Amino acid sequence: MGLKPGLPILQGLLCEALGSTLRVTGTDLEMTVRTASEVEVLEEGRVALPGKLAAEAVRKMPPGAITVGSSDGEVEIVGRGPRFALRELPADDFPQIMDPSFEGAVGVDGDELGLAVSQVTVAASGDAARPILTGVLFEPSDEGLRLVATDSYRLAVRKVPGVSIGEQGLVPARGLRELSRTVAAAKVQISLQPREVAFGSERGTLTLRLIEGTFPNYRQLLPEDYPNRVVVEKEALLDALGRAALVAEEHIPVRMRLMEGGIEVSVTRQDVGGETEHVPGDFKGSAEEVLIAFNPRYLTDGVSVVEGERVQIEVIDGLKPSVIQGIDHPDFLYLLMPVRI
């Protein structure tokens, strides 16, 4: 969890022992994670302790049972040999947070949701000055749930068929990236409320405050037809882009010449030199060849999250957005703006 100015308690984890259950809560007021475990409770109570330090202490313990106890302002974590003594934080300062409601929640295949999140969050912006673009739009559609993210240079759209959430919401990508580390499971519940979204599983709950604002009209970026298309092996293209990245920096574009027989990938850097290679593939189009250039990191991000062994790149010309998709995987597309050369 993060740290808010003036709220050092948000560095901590609240641990509550009741009956035979230990419940642990962490929050930065925008993202809250809760989990519970069946334990042997020798004495009921609640304590707040330094979150990062406590987590690392438990992680580095030898295999076997551990004991956690507190007295006189100190939290003791004891394993088979090691003993950590951590300063207790004031539990009464920990925010009062309600449990999320899962009334009317929808169930989702956990693996599919995790894949969908990983595919779209690569396109979300990290610029806090543009908060709308740091989110992922959860949007109901005729096919089910649609996840959309853009940083204005690229756009990722993923359909999750058969999932009906009713309303839409803009979910922080930063919080979604924690899904796999917190509540990922075979089955995940999604509860979308007016101000927050909650994900729940047998592992616990992840609650995220929604971003307020209007998401861009992304549909106008999607052309109805692409007259030129090339299909190549995904790993071969990633290998070529990796070698090109040895020469390129992020601000130096990778040029791609789409033509009969595949793609010529090249990059030139005045102070270093260049790299050129051919990636075999199948090209079909209205033009004999198309020259287009992309930001190398953005291009690699998109190709990396495409499903399947083969990837198709559809282009209009060297100046208009291109779409990257996996063959036989139409539920995901990655649109990328070219770089002028």
Side-chain angles (χ1 to χ4, degrees):
M1 298 291 100
L3 173 63
K4 298 287 185 181
L7 291 176
I9 189 61
L10 298 185
Q11 294 181 96
L13 295 174
L14 180 65
C15 300
E16 300 170 286
L18 183 64
S20 60
T21 301
L22 172 65
R23 190 164 83 153
V24 181
T25 304
T27 186
D28 63 5
L29 301 183
E30 295 179 354
M31 172 170 56
T32 300
V33 179
R34 273 200 170 123
T35 187
S37 297
E38 293 297 310
V39 298
E40 182 183 358
V41 176
L42 302 179
E43 183 178 347
E44 295 184 349
R46 63 200 296 265
V47 65
L49 66 166
K52 186 175 181 180
L53 185 55
E56 287 300 316
V58 172
R59 187 175 293 115
K60 294 183 182 299
M61 284 288 184
I66 65 170
T67 301
V68 180
S70 68
S71 64
D72 299 326
E74 185 177 272
V75 178
E76 185 179 67
I77 304 175
V78 182
R80 296 177 59 185
R83 173 186 177 274
F84 287 89
L86 309 180
R87 181 173 297 177
E88 185 178 331
L89 300 176
D92 290 342
D93 290 350
F94 201 86
Q96 298 291 323
I97 297 174
M98 299 289 293
D99 287 328
S101 170
F102 284 93
E103 184 177 350
V106 296
V108 185
D109 180 273
D111 290 337
E112 184 173 17
L113 178 62
L115 175 60
V117 165
S118 69
Q119 288 177 312
V120 297
T121 51
V122 297
S125 174
D127 185 0
R130 308 174 74 188
I132 296 297
L133 301 185
T134 66
V136 173
L137 180 66
F138 276 50
E139 180 182 53
S141 70
D142 293 339
E143 301 96 339
L145 171 63
R146 186 184 292 124
L147 307 184
V148 188
T150 182
D151 61 5
S152 77
Y153 300 104
R154 51 197 172 153
L155 169 74
V157 182
R158 176 57 149 86
K159 301 173 186 174
V160 185
V163 177
S164 177
I165 59 171
E167 301 294 331
Q168 72 175 30
L170 190 54
V171 183
R174 178 182 72 90
L176 284 174
R177 294 188 182 102
E178 297 299 316
L179 190 63
S180 62
R181 298 199 310 155
T182 54
V183 301
K187 198 72 174 178
V188 176
Q189 297 287 316
I190 303 177
S191 175
L192 186 60
Q193 303 296 328
R195 298 195 177 192
E196 66 180 27
V197 61
F199 302 88
S201 75
E202 59 186 14
R203 297 181 60 190
T205 63
L206 169 65
T207 306
L208 305 173
R209 182 187 297 174
L210 298 180
I211 298 171
E212 296 182 3
T214 303
F215 196 76
N217 180 13
Y218 67 91
R219 291 180 181 82
Q220 64 184 1
L221 300 175
L222 300 172
E224 295 183 0
D225 182 54
Y226 289 87
N228 304 289
R229 184 183 87 149
V230 66
V231 178
V232 296
E233 294 294 323
K234 174 182 173 179
E235 291 305 318
L237 180 55
L238 286 175
D239 288 344
L241 293 175
R243 286 186 284 269
L246 295 175
V247 177
E249 293 179 342
E250 187 171 319
H251 66 281
I252 298 177
V254 170
R255 300 178 183 224
M256 301 176 64
R257 190 178 301 275
L258 283 58
M259 56 190 178
E260 184 176 352
I263 304 175
E264 180 186 84
V265 178
S266 65
V267 62
T268 302
R269 183 174 163 189
Q270 188 173 3
D271 60 333
V272 173
E275 196 268 347
T276 302
E277 63 181 284
H278 181 74
V279 180
D282 299 318
F283 175 76
K284 293 181 180 180
S286 59
E288 290 188 6
E289 62 178 45
V290 179
L291 177 62
I292 193 167
F294 297 107
N295 175 297
R297 181 171 67 86
Y298 291 174
L299 178 59
T300 301
D301 284 347
V303 175
S304 297
V305 295
V306 164
E307 293 180 80
E309 297 180 354
R310 295 189 300 158
V311 60
Q312 69 175 23
I313 302 175
E314 297 179 293
V315 304
I316 297 175
D317 55 38
L319 301 177
K320 296 183 179 64
S322 299
V323 164
I324 300 170
Q325 285 185 290
I327 297 296
D328 301 323
H329 294 278
D331 286 340
F332 173 71
L333 70 82
Y334 184 87
L335 180 143
L336 183 58
M337 297 293 295
V339 177
R340 290 182 178 272
I341 53 175

